Amino acid sequence: MKPLPRNPEPILTLCTALLLAAALYAVFLHAPAERVMGLVQKIFYFHLSCALAAFLSFTTACAAGVAYLVSRNLKWDILGAAAVEIGLVFTTLVLATGMLWGRPVWNAWWTWDPRLTTSLILWFIFASYFILRSAVEQRQRRATYCAVMAIVGFVDVPIVFLSARLWRSIHPVVIKADSINMAPAMVTALLASLAAFTALWVLLLQRRVRTLALAERILTMEHRLDREPALSTERK
Amino acid sequence: MRIAWLVIRKDLAAELRSPQAMVSMLFFGFLLLVILNVAVPAGARVAPETGAGILWVAVTFAAVLGLARTFDREKQNRCLEGLLLSPLSPEALFGAKMAVNCIFMGISQVAILPIFFILYGDGFLHAPVMLALVLLLANTGFSATGTLFAAITAGANRNEALLPMLFFPLVMPLIAMAVKVTSMIFAGAGPAEYGSWLQVMAAFALIFTGLGFLFTGRIIRD
Amino acid sequence: MHSTYFLLTAYLVIWAGIFAYLLATGRQQRRLAQRLEILEQRISETEARP
């Protein structure tokens, strides 16, 4: 068995913390308040950053699924599981912050806008990934099933978006979440928070991959130890 | 191709001898149509959207019952291993199972639809051919996705409860589109108004059939 | 003023969410460390036996 790679966590953690602090400064002190929506608009920066992290996660999961089916190397399965897990956390945050923005701005917690619908169904698809994961015992089989699930889920997302948009194009709703003219300082704040959340995402992902890989190794060692005494008694 | 046909015939013959899947699908479908009646205020005319929603809840939930049984017979006597040893390719098996599921859904809908029109009013009966086309597209999409996930849940532990949980999030767009088109048909709209929806439904069916053929080999062999 | 509460809640939710996740993963890591310790003990026992 190969040794685990050197832990890059301290440097990464430091970078993430600095970037997050910078992003918070940019969002709250540097960027001006939006004229129409007021301070609430500041939710937008971290909301979009969470969405970016979620998107990165699910793309990674799909790529890891393909890589697993091609190579049958369990490390890709671990990467996929870690990515979906983090993606689920960030999708939850996206939905929560989206609702908290929608309530004061649109006067409703929830609308069936294509973006909202898509993120909700995305959340369901990848939550069912974990239900599937817990339902299959055998290791290789679980990896194959989960890889298929991640790929199929990822392919499904554009269709969900398309169908939700078709729906709205017939009942037009004038909600355009992203057609906001942004001042330069707002762009800076947005870029800072996007960078911070990408760093946070990398940090979480490598941490989860290491933990899951460790869990895997411990499990195989336990199995081997459980079998060994039996073997030695047979030999006697 | 010929062997796939044999599998289809085998499944249909078994179903004819003891129609377990068919009975549960039809019974559950009727039951849902009756239960969903509570969504309609007493004496009021059903709006086209409500009617379409009720019809599709009954149709999809009945379909899931059939899908869950896709690989039941193969699992019972370790027939799946036998089928894999035969010259039958997993892709052909997938195609055959998908066709069988599609046929079962079609038959159950032929029985569910008249009941629906009886219970909720025949004022909805506008363009039967287009309605059949919508059902056909939806059935193809359902049976492609459903057969793929039935293969997956056949290898998992708690497979009865698992299939709907994996299946519904993925086919949500297909159900939404089907309900939309059906409500337009019920309201008397012409094909020009919902043509683009039918295209997206067809695309969904095509994509998931492709994915099914692509992945079944891996799923069944593991 | 009312909308400021929503802003505060949103940021609170983000931080709470991330920290809850970190806490959960931290707990899993601690459990793993325990299992690792038991494993090391068992290995040293089996090596000492023959």
Side-chain angles (χ1 to χ4, degrees), chain A residues 59-133:
Chain A
T59 315
T60 311
C62 176
V66 174
Y68 174 76
L69 288 181
V70 172
S71 70
R72 307 201 138 266
N73 186 338
L74 280 176
K75 78 173 182 205
W76 295 116
D77 178 58
I78 290 175
L79 177 63
V84 175
E85 194 181 290
I86 294 166
L88 211 53
V89 172
F90 279 115
T91 314
T92 312
L93 292 180
V94 169
L95 290 171
T97 51
M99 282 184 225
L100 285 165
W101 182 14
R103 184 64 186 79
V105 176
W106 301 334
N107 217 4
W109 292 106
W110 186 261
T111 64
W112 293 100
D113 168 85
R115 262 171 286 263
L116 275 69
T117 315
T118 310
S119 7
L120 184 62
I121 294 184
L122 184 73
W123 188 91
F124 270 113
I125 291 174
F126 289 101
S128 64
Y129 176 96
F130 278 102
I131 297 174
L132 177 62
R133 228 182 148 68

Side-chain angles (χ1 to χ4, degrees), chain C residues 11 13 21 45:
Chain C
Y11 277 80
V13 164
Y21 181 61
E45 275 168 24

Side-chain angles (χ1 to χ4, degrees), chain A residues 69 135 137 141 144-145 156, chain B residues 152 155 157 170 176 197 218 222:
Chain A
L69 288 181
E137 300 268 308
R141 186 184 278 179
T144 307
Y145 289 2
D156 202 39
Chain B
I152 284 182
N157 301 349
L170 284 167
W197 296 81
R218 272 296 167 63
D222 260 340

